[in-house]
Amino acid sequence: MLTVFAALSQLKREQLKQRQREGIEIAKAQGKYTGRKPIPTDWTRFGQLYGELKSKNISGRDFMRRMDMSANTFYRRVREYEIRHGIIEQTSA
């Protein structure tokens, strides 16, 4: 009896996800669904702090606190900054 309820619950969940996926596709086609807005970044201040970070005057945590960003955003922005400015670090592998 319990397996029947579990199967019905799973079927309902799959139908819900399918309807949601279809709704998002329709909204995208109409230009209404654009996703999450990007977090704004002050690139001037970022560049100054990046210099301090690379000269080991501040830690990554201090950098994140001063820029008020999460760790994931920090690492993503560092990667973007390095690509923009052609900074490629040597990897020892």
Side-chain angles (χ1 to χ4, degrees):
M1 187 70 168
L2 202 56
T3 56
V4 173
F5 288 129
L8 284 174
S9 176
Q10 183 178 357
L11 181 63
K12 283 184 179 183
R13 180 77 179 140
E14 289 171 1
Q15 287 175 342
L16 177 72
K17 295 295 267 181
Q18 178 63 30
R19 283 198 310 265
Q20 182 181 21
R21 203 171 13 257
E22 290 170 359
I24 290 172
E25 288 173 10
I26 291 168
K28 280 184 179 180
Q30 295 173 351
K32 294 179 181 178
Y33 185 89
T34 58
R36 184 176 177 171
K37 294 193 177 14
I39 297 169
T41 303
D42 180 3
W43 288 105
T44 306
R45 185 163 180 231
F46 190 95
Q48 293 167 350
L49 290 174
Y50 181 84
E52 289 185 38
L53 178 71
K54 288 303 173 181
S55 64
K56 301 194 189 286
N57 291 338
I58 62 171
S59 68
R61 282 264 177 235
D62 289 334
F63 190 111
M64 289 180 237
R65 252 185 241 116
R66 290 181 188 183
M67 288 296 293
D68 190 31
M69 59 177 55
S70 69
N72 288 337
T73 303
F74 166 71
Y75 290 113
R76 188 178 322 111
R77 294 295 188 255
V78 166
R79 203 169 32 251
E80 289 173 15
Y81 183 82
E82 290 175 346
I83 289 170
R84 279 186 189 176
H85 293 88
I87 302 167
I88 301 170
E89 291 199 5
Q90 297 293 327
T91 57
S92 57

